[in-house]
Amino acid sequence: MMLKRYRISNQSIRIAFLLFVFIGIFSKFLQANVLGQFYDGERILNDIIYDIKFTDRSYNVTEAFFGIFVKTFKIADIKIWAWLIGIIGGVAVLRWVKNYVKYIFTLDNFILFMLSFSLLEIYLFNVSKEIIQILFMIPTYSVLFDSRISDRKKLFSITTMMLFITLFFRRYYAIMFVIFCLMWMLFFCKAKKHRLKFAIPFLIILWIGLWSVKQLVPSIYYEVIGIRAMTNASYETVANTIIVDVITGTGPIEFLLNWSINTLRLLFPVELFAKGVFQCITGIYLILIDCIMVKEFIKCTKSSNSNLSILLCLMFSFIICSALFEPDFGSYVRHETMFYPAVQMILIKMKEKNPKGDVSI
């Protein structure tokens, strides 16, 4: 199918951005008055007000950041903060997207952007750990999106970002970093023609490593194996899209099989269609995005589009890492919103590769 490049009138841009503003307002209203979900926001505000500290460094960093504004402006209402952050975040996204408006104005990208913008307002733009995390990631995004910067510098930027977040915010980024490095070596480094020679021994070593840890240090092994059961225990009464392992058992093979199956479930969450209207829409969005990424990933393994390859490795390393411990699909979508800039840039770079035809609107 021929993709088209659009010459866009100023009137069309104004109408589209008014539509985006309406979607943002509607999504925030939906969150505050229908869904009534603010996730960790209420807990964070309460901890700030009553000066409660926890051992979880991500909560402590988030509470220290928002505590400055809560104490300065004397606002302790979660809904007011949700609207304020939603307005600031929405304006920032629309200003950024304006630079790529010609790519947004294709039907597929337009629909996906509207869905993405709605999810950002519902999940990301709140008093949350995610908003802090994306602030850490913005410098890395600015490097990744600059085509003038070499691959080596981009990889260094991602390494620095992941290690920084691991040390000061969320430890699971260490796992994500390892997965990112393995994916890059397997599919996109100069020796990718030998990836099967590398992949098979790696899987064998991984299995032997898990088996050895089980025999030598069983407490650590069962802590890793039981990470999903542990996180699910605190979510099973509040989440209706909880992710439960399909295969029972605590052996290395069962663990790796469940990890693989859960990765596929996150990539293609068809089970959400039976959970309700909102979950159904979310499921359609995830499947559309993930199908595009899988398709582009396969293409990139056969070409030399390194800019797109790095973004795709970043996204898939997050998805594979999430399959290890995310307790439910809602948490997964909320965390994935931090990678919205990467998703949008993947879609934009796809259009840049196919600038055929001109249409005036």
Side-chain angles (χ1 to χ4, degrees):
M1 182 180 69
M2 180 178 288
L3 294 172
K4 298 176 180 180
R5 184 176 57 203
Y6 289 80
R7 293 195 300 268
I8 307 158
S9 68
N10 289 331
Q11 183 180 4
S12 296
I13 293 174
R14 284 193 293 269
I15 293 172
F17 274 76
L18 284 173
L19 178 60
F20 295 152
V21 170
F22 169 78
I23 290 170
I25 293 172
F26 175 77
S27 300
K28 191 56 72 175
F29 175 83
L30 184 69
Q31 178 200 13
N33 298 282
V34 179
L35 299 175
Q37 292 286 338
F38 296 98
Y39 312 103
D40 293 332
E42 292 176 324
R43 171 184 172 178
I44 291 168
L45 279 182
N46 284 333
D47 292 350
I48 292 170
I49 294 168
Y50 297 106
D51 197 26
I52 300 172
K53 301 295 181 183
F54 288 93
T55 56
D56 189 321
R57 71 182 73 179
S58 62
Y59 276 107
N60 289 335
V61 171
T62 304
E63 289 164 10
F65 176 83
F66 281 107
I68 297 171
F69 300 98
V70 171
K71 293 173 183 177
T72 300
F73 297 104
K74 308 297 182 183
I75 299 174
D77 190 310
I78 188 68
K79 290 187 179 181
I80 294 176
W81 280 114
W83 278 101
L84 288 173
I85 297 170
I87 292 169
I88 295 170
V91 170
V93 169
L94 293 179
R95 283 181 63 85
W96 176 64
V97 165
K98 192 175 181 180
N99 298 324
Y100 304 97
V101 70
K102 64 180 179 180
Y103 301 110
I104 296 295
F105 274 77
T106 56
L107 182 60
D108 51 355
N109 241 356
F110 191 78
I111 293 172
L112 287 173
F113 174 75
M114 287 195 296
L115 289 171
S116 297
F117 192 52
S118 178
L119 290 175
L120 287 173
E121 290 290 352
I122 293 173
Y123 285 113
L124 181 62
F125 297 145
N126 299 287
V127 175
S128 64
K129 294 182 289 184
E130 287 71 36
I131 201 73
I132 305 298
Q133 199 163 324
I134 201 170
L135 291 176
F136 289 152
M137 298 168 73
I138 285 174
T140 299
Y141 283 137
S142 65
V143 173
L144 293 179
F145 298 163
D146 193 336
S147 59
R148 297 168 297 179
I149 297 177
S150 67
D151 291 350
R152 184 173 296 181
K153 290 180 180 178
K154 290 180 178 180
L155 292 171
F156 176 78
S157 177
I158 286 181
T159 300
T160 304
M161 178 268 289
M162 289 190 178
L163 292 178
F164 182 84
I165 293 178
T166 299
L167 290 172
F168 297 103
F169 205 66
R170 280 183 159 162
R171 295 177 182 175
Y172 70 79
Y173 266 66
I175 302 172
M176 186 173 157
F177 175 66
V178 172
I179 296 170
F180 175 87
C181 293
L182 288 171
M183 292 191 71
W184 181 258
M185 288 188 293
L186 278 171
F187 296 103
F188 300 113
C189 70
K190 293 181 179 179
K192 67 181 181 181
K193 62 182 179 179
H194 302 299
R195 56 179 173 249
L196 285 178
K197 295 180 182 178
F198 175 80
I200 294 174
F202 169 75
L203 290 173
I204 294 173
I205 292 171
L206 180 61
W207 181 84
I208 293 174
L210 286 170
W211 183 86
S212 300
V213 172
K214 181 180 181 181
Q215 303 304 316
L216 299 173
V217 196
S219 60
I220 295 177
Y221 173 82
Y222 285 109
E223 183 178 351
V224 173
I225 295 296
I227 190 169
R228 174 165 297 284
M230 182 175 63
T231 53
N232 282 8
S234 59
Y235 280 82
E236 58 187 358
T237 58
V238 296
N240 66 340
T241 59
I242 197 164
I243 300 171
V244 179
D245 287 339
V246 175
I247 300 171
T248 57
T250 58
I253 294 178
E254 291 88 344
F255 171 73
L256 293 175
L257 284 174
N258 276 320
W259 195 358
S260 302
I261 292 169
N262 290 334
T263 299
L264 291 174
R265 291 170 68 188
L266 292 181
L267 282 171
F268 309 106
V270 292
E271 58 199 90
L272 289 180
F273 295 161
K275 300 292 185 179
V277 176
F278 181 74
Q279 288 79 6
C280 183
I281 295 172
T282 303
I284 292 171
Y285 168 78
L286 289 174
I287 290 173
L288 287 174
I289 290 291
D290 293 339
C291 283
I292 290 170
M293 289 199 299
V294 169
K295 181 181 177 182
E296 288 303 307
F297 189 87
I298 294 171
K299 285 183 181 179
C300 282
T301 59
K302 302 174 183 178
S303 66
S304 57
N305 190 338
S306 57
N307 285 330
L308 199 53
S309 302
I310 293 172
L311 289 171
L312 287 165
C313 280
L314 179 65
M315 284 303 305
F316 279 110
S317 64
F318 164 74
I319 294 170
I320 295 170
C321 180
S322 297
L324 181 63
F325 62 86
E326 282 289 13
D328 65 285
F329 285 99
S331 297
Y332 166 66
V333 175
R334 188 170 79 253
H335 294 152
E336 191 181 38
T337 56
M338 295 177 295
F339 295 89
Y340 159 75
V343 173
Q344 189 63 60
M345 191 53 65
I346 288 170
L347 297 174
I348 289 168
K349 288 188 176 295
M350 286 169 52
K351 300 304 182 187
E352 286 179 337
K353 293 190 300 178
N354 300 277
K356 298 179 181 179
D358 285 302
V359 176
S360 297
I361 60 175

